[in-house]
Amino acid sequence: MSLIPSFFGGKRSNVFDPFSLDIWDPFEGFPFSATLANLTSSGGESSAIANTRVDWKETPQAHVFSVDLPGLKKDEVKVEVEDGKVLQISGERSRQKEEKDDRWHRVERSTGKFLRRFRLPENAKIDEVKAGMENGVLTVTVPKEEEKKPEVKSVEISG
């Protein structure tokens, strides 16, 4: 008997290991459950795209993008401007090498390729884009053109 209750009929492969709870499959036993399992198991690669978090703020001088990329080096990330107005941030999180004696208890970090694209506004100076990476955070700064204030000319009234 397990010391920790198992919910939804989950089974433990080891009673003394609290991390060994197998995932409950509500479709277990149905003929299409193997196909469904294949679809969800490949989801780890696409989840890297969804899990790449980006903040975009606009200051009076620039648009600033902050991207969480923990564990990546700057040479594993590409920052590009496509078609003159689309900022593209891409890269790949590699899967950690597995040794035959390794015993994984939990794998939650996403792996695979990621790609995020943002249409830049008309006032973006794409020739002056700068990017830097520190402590797993990529910061992309896109300077803005100064707003041209309409010239107001006084007209003298004769009469």
Side-chain angles (χ1 to χ4, degrees), residues 135-150:
N135 296 327
V137 178
L138 172 70
T139 303
V140 180
T141 305
V142 183
K144 293 174 17 180
E145 293 176 358
E146 290 183 30
E147 279 188 38
K148 295 179 182 173
K149 296 180 182 175

Side-chain angles (χ1 to χ4, degrees), residues 58-75:
E58 183 177 355
T59 69
Q61 297 80 27
H63 295 275
V64 181
F65 297 84
S66 299
V67 187
D68 287 341
L69 299 171
L72 290 183
K73 299 178 192 109
K74 67 179 183 178
D75 58 331

